[in-house]
Every structure is written in C-alpha cells, then in structure tokens.
C-alpha cells in the first residue's frame, strides 16, 4: 500500500529520544518522507500502553483521519493515572531494571517484595523501581509514593503484567480492525509472549548511551517497516 496519512504512537523510541534532531531523524519521519504522506507522531517518553490505548480509542478518531496505524507498545509495568487537581494524566514509569527483575531475576523480585508491615520507611536497597542502590522511591514517584511503593512491591507480578499487556495488545488490534485501519504493531518488551509484527529490542540495533536507537538505528527500523507496509 501507499499510505497518505500514518498514525504513530509509542514511548521514547517512537518520539526519537537521544536523537540530535528527533523530528527529522526518527523512523516516523523517514517513513513519511518515503511515502510522501502525513505523519502524526504521538510518542512520549515514559509513555505506557495504557496511554497508547487511551490515545487510540478516546483521544483520536483514527477512522476519519488515517489509513495506517503503526504502534509501538512499551513495557507493561508502566501505567498512568488521572490527577484531577491538575486536570492531567500522570505517567508512572518504573525503570528498565524493574522489568528486568521481574523476568530475569525472579529470586531478587522475591527479596525486594518482602514487606515489613510495621515499617513506613522507603525501601531503597537495590530497588528495581529506582534503578540504583541509593535513590529512594519517593524521589522517583513524588505523588503518592507510598501507594505506588506498595503497588509495585505487593500487587504486581509477572502474570499480572503479561495479562495486562495481552489485554492492551488485543484492544489495539481489535480497534484498528473494526475501523478498517491496517495496523503494524511493534514492541520494545523483549520478554513478551505475544506475536508482534516487529520486535525493536534486538542486539544488532545501533544504540545511543541510554539505549535508544541512534540515527542509524531509526533508519534500520524504517527500512523494516517499509518492507511490512509494502506487503499490505
């Protein structure tokens, strides 16, 4: 197909984090130039799959404005909530190490998950939420820190996140299907059990210091997407 208007959403990978000129170097721009089409990029650093679904279903009318959707799902540990006092959505984005602890170091998850019911202090030793051994949780989440502290240490689990990711995955696919919008769905979650059109977190992708794709990496992603689009 030759799209005329493409809807993009995702997290910092889609936004173009760590690029010198993100609006002209990210893969969404490269695709819009290749097909000479309109680009709408809603990617946001730290954005969650909750936000992606909200954008897709509540905030935008994809049926009347786009003929292709390219959506990059993020880590299922991320979420958001609506802060009524400020009338805005607040991102909750645990560090990469939190997801890593869930999927690669379940024994460490068990250690940090033990809670002393009599203690009100912030747990900070090698805390996967914080990503360091010294930064306290309240420095990462300044809003209702105790709530999120308990939420991630007690409520969540690998099964919880896998189920949450699958719900968002099928919600995105079904919404695009019922609106007759072709979809390419990608992920940066290398631990996912789901079948994505494109997995972005691969070893041969050139990375910037904070692990986002470099300019060359975005070119590689764009080339892979062009192959997929041309098959639609």
């Amino acid at each position: 197909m030759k799209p005329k208007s493409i809807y993009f959403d995702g997290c910092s990978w889609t936004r173009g984090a760590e690029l010198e000129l993100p609006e002209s170097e990210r893969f969404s721009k490269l695709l819009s130039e290749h097909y000479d089409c309109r680009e709408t990029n809603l990617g946001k650093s730290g954005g969650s799959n909750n936000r992606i679904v909200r954008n897709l279903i509540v905030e935008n009318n994809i049926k009347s404005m786009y003929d292709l959707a390219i959506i990059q799902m993020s880590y299922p540990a991320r979420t958001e909530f609506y802060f009524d006092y400020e009338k805005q959505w607040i991102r909750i984005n645990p560090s990469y190490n939190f997801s890593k602890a869930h999927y690669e170091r379940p024994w460490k998850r068990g250690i940090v998950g033990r809670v002393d019911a009599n203690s009100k202090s912030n747990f900070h030793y090698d805390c996967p939420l914080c990503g360091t051994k010294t930064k306290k949780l309240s420095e990462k989440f300044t809003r209702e820190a105790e709530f999120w502290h308990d939420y991630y240490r007690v409520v969540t689990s690998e099964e919880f996140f896998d189920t949450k990711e699958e719900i968002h995955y099928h919600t995105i696919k079904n919404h695009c299907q019922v609106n007759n919008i072709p979809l390419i769905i990608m992920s940066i979650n290398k631990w996912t059990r789901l079948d994505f059109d494109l997995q972005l977190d691969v070893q041969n992708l050139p990375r910037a210091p904070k692990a986002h794709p470099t300019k060359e990496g975005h070119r590689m992603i764009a080339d892979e997407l062009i192959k997929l689009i041309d098959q639609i």
Side-chain angles (χ1 to χ4, degrees), residues 24-83:
S24 61
E25 297 175 349
R26 59 195 182 190
F27 65 81
S28 61
K29 179 63 174 179
L30 300 178
L31 285 178
S32 66
E33 290 179 342
H34 178 83
Y35 290 106
D36 189 24
C37 68
R38 184 165 65 91
E39 167 204 10
T40 298
N41 187 322
L42 302 177
K44 188 170 185 178
S45 295
S48 64
N49 295 330
N50 302 67
R51 176 183 176 273
I52 290 169
V53 170
R54 175 171 58 83
N55 278 342
L56 183 67
I57 296 177
V58 179
E59 308 290 351
N60 295 279
N61 184 353
I62 62 169
K63 185 174 183 179
S64 64
M65 297 181 62
Y66 305 99
D67 52 13
L68 176 64
I70 298 179
I71 294 178
Q72 169 253 307
M73 289 183 64
S74 187
Y75 300 112
R78 294 175 174 178
T79 189
E80 65 176 7
F81 71 94
Y82 187 72
F83 190 41

Side-chain angles (χ1 to χ4, degrees), residues 93-112:
N93 56 326
S95 72
Y96 172 85
N97 286 338
F98 179 73
S99 294
K100 185 178 179 68
H102 263 279
Y103 292 101
E104 295 186 4
R105 299 178 293 171
W107 59 271
K108 179 165 283 192
R109 161 71 183 173
I111 292 172
V112 301

Side-chain angles (χ1 to χ4, degrees), residues 5 36 60 134 228:
S5 181
D36 189 24
N60 295 279
T134 58
L228 292 173

